[in-house]
């Protein structure tokens, strides 16, 4: 720019860069249009609905869906002084991560529940098996104990049986030995007595043997035997016959049953009474019947 000449009129200096102002204005308008276009495009896009479900371990209820967003009011498109710029690319909706996370949570919870249920069933099965095993072991123990007791009882019974048999055999041997000794003593006594009184009584005794018994003598013998008879039942049909052998002193050395009464109890009672009646009564002359047969009728013994 050249300075004005002195004394001359003032002139406005010429703008050397007159194109800058329109370009700058156009750029500002273009930027403003771009922001308006982006805002309008963003408001016109339908918002993506995102649904989320809230799960609770006690109460599982889905959260209500979010209300739809109100539609944005479009603003009138302003006319651009400059050339329109191309619209930006439509944004791609992000993947629905909340739904995938909820599905994973559901699957994990279902798996955990299945595992818990399986563990509970396994525990119940194990407890039942242990209980059955205890019951079976108890039953086997009781069975074994019962078998052991039965075995011991059987062994004890066999021992008692053997002991009883041995005691019975020993008793029988003792009785036989006692009887043999008694018979031997009686025989010796008989020989002694008969040897001393052979001359005095031989004839009388021989005449008495096999003959009839004196009625009074027989009645005395029956009376003594009757006094020693112990038998409660009265039956007049019972009658037994015995042969009795005695020493001259009246000592009984032999009793033989000739006829049974048909009642073992009555026969045993008569035999006991005869044994208890030794020595038997003698005759009036002091002699005895060395051997005689006597009838014991029930009606005569009462």
């Amino acid at each position: 720019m050249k300075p004005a000449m002195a004394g001359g009129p003032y002139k406005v200096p010429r703008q050397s860069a007159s194109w800058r102002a329109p370009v700058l204005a156009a750029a500002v308008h273009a930027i403003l249009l771009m922001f308006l276009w982006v805002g309008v495009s963003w408001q016109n896009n339908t918002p993506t609905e995102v649904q989320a479900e809230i799960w609770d371990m006690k109460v599982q209820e889905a959260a209500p869906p979010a209300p739809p967003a109100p539609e944005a009011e479009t603003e009138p498109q302003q006319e651009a002084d400059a050339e329109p710029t191309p619209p930006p690319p439509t944004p791609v909706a992000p993947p629905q991560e909340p739904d995938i996370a909820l599905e994973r949570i559901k699957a994990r919870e279902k798996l955990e529940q299945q595992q818990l249920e399986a563990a509970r069933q396994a525990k119940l099965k194990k407890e039942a098996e242990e209980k059955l095993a205890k019951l079976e072991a108890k039953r086997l123990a009781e069975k074994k104990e019962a078998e052991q007791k039965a075995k011991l009882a059987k062994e004890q019974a066999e021992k008692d049986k053997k002991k009883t048999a041995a005691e019975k055999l020993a008793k029988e041997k003792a009785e036989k030995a006692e009887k043999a000794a008694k018979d031997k003593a009686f025989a010796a006594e008989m020989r002694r007595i008969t040897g001393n009184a052979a001359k005095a009584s031989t004839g009388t005794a021989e005449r008495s043997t096999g003959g009839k018994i004196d009625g009074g003598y027989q009645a005395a013998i029956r009376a003594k035997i009757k006094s020693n008879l112990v038998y409660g039942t009265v039956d007049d049909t019972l009658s037994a016959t015995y042969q009795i052998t005695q020493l001259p002193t009246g000592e009984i050395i032999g009793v033989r049953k000739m006829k049974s009464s048909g009642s073992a109890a009555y026969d045993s009672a008569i035999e006991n009474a005869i044994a208890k009646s030794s020595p038997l009564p003698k005759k009036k002359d002091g002699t005895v019947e060395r051997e005689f047969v006597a009838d014991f009728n029930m009606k005569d013994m009462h």
Side-chain angles (χ1 to χ4, degrees):
M1 183 183 295
K2 295 182 179 181
M5 297 179 61
Y10 175 78
K11 293 180 180 182
V12 178
R14 186 179 179 181
Q15 298 290 336
S16 59
S18 59
W19 54 275
R20 294 181 180 178
V23 173
L24 182 60
V28 172
H29 282 83
I31 292 173
L32 180 61
L33 285 175
M34 184 181 65
F35 278 107
L36 290 175
W37 178 266
V38 172
V40 172
S41 298
W42 180 263
Q43 291 178 358
N44 288 334
N45 289 333
T46 303
T48 302
E49 295 181 0
V50 178
Q51 297 181 357
E53 294 181 0
I54 300 175
W55 288 80
D56 192 356
M57 294 303 294
K58 296 182 179 178
V59 181
Q60 297 181 357
E61 295 181 355
E71 296 182 358
E73 296 180 357
T74 58
E75 295 181 358
Q77 183 179 1
Q78 297 180 1
E79 295 181 357
D81 295 338
E83 295 181 358
T85 57
T90 304
V92 180
Q96 298 179 356
E97 293 294 337
D99 293 342
I100 298 174
L102 288 175
E103 291 295 333
R104 291 179 180 176
I105 292 173
K106 291 179 181 180
R108 184 170 64 252
E109 290 178 352
K110 184 177 181 180
L111 180 60
E112 290 177 354
Q113 291 178 358
Q114 292 177 353
Q115 292 176 351
L116 290 174
E117 181 65 20
R120 189 178 69 85
Q121 294 293 336
K123 183 179 180 181
L124 293 176
K125 183 178 179 181
K126 184 178 180 181
E127 291 177 353
E129 291 177 351
E130 291 177 353
K131 187 176 181 180
L132 289 175
K134 289 180 180 179
L135 291 175
E136 184 66 18
K138 183 179 180 181
R139 187 184 68 82
L140 292 176
E142 291 177 351
K143 182 180 179 181
K144 186 176 180 180
E145 184 179 358
E147 292 177 351
Q148 187 68 20
K149 288 182 179 179
K151 183 178 179 181
L152 293 175
K154 185 177 180 181
E155 292 177 354
Q156 186 64 31
E158 291 178 356
K159 289 181 180 179
D160 294 341
K161 186 177 180 180
K162 290 180 180 179
K163 183 178 180 181
T164 303
E167 290 177 352
K168 184 178 180 180
L169 182 60
K171 184 178 180 180
E172 291 177 354
K173 288 182 178 180
E175 290 177 354
K176 288 181 180 180
E178 184 180 358
K179 184 177 179 182
K182 186 176 181 181
D183 292 343
K184 186 177 180 180
F186 283 160
E189 183 68 16
M190 185 183 66
R191 286 193 301 270
R192 185 181 67 81
I193 295 174
T194 55
N196 294 333
K199 295 180 180 181
S201 60
T202 299
T204 305
E206 288 177 355
R207 287 193 300 269
S208 300
T209 302
K212 295 182 179 180
I213 303 176
D214 188 354
Y217 175 59
Q218 187 177 8
I221 292 174
R222 186 179 291 109
K224 187 171 184 180
I225 295 174
K226 177 181 177 181
S227 65
N228 293 315
L229 178 64
V230 180
Y231 191 75
T233 304
V234 178
D235 188 356
D236 294 341
T237 62
L238 298 179
S239 178
T241 302
Y242 284 88
Q243 181 181 13
I244 301 173
T245 304
Q246 59 180 336
L247 296 173
T249 58
E251 297 287 341
I252 299 175
I253 60 175
V255 178
R256 185 166 67 91
K257 182 166 58 177
M258 303 293 292
K259 178 185 175 183
S260 174
S261 65
S263 173
Y266 181 68
D267 293 346
S268 178
I270 291 295
E271 292 174 2
N272 292 332
I274 292 172
K276 292 179 180 180
S277 300
S278 181
L280 294 174
K282 296 179 182 181
K283 295 180 180 180
K284 294 179 180 180
D285 58 359
T287 61
V288 297
E289 293 289 340
R290 295 286 303 281
E291 188 176 86
F292 64 93
V293 176
D295 296 328
F296 298 96
N297 298 322
M298 172 68 76
K299 61 181 179 180
D300 297 334
M301 302 300 290
H302 289 279

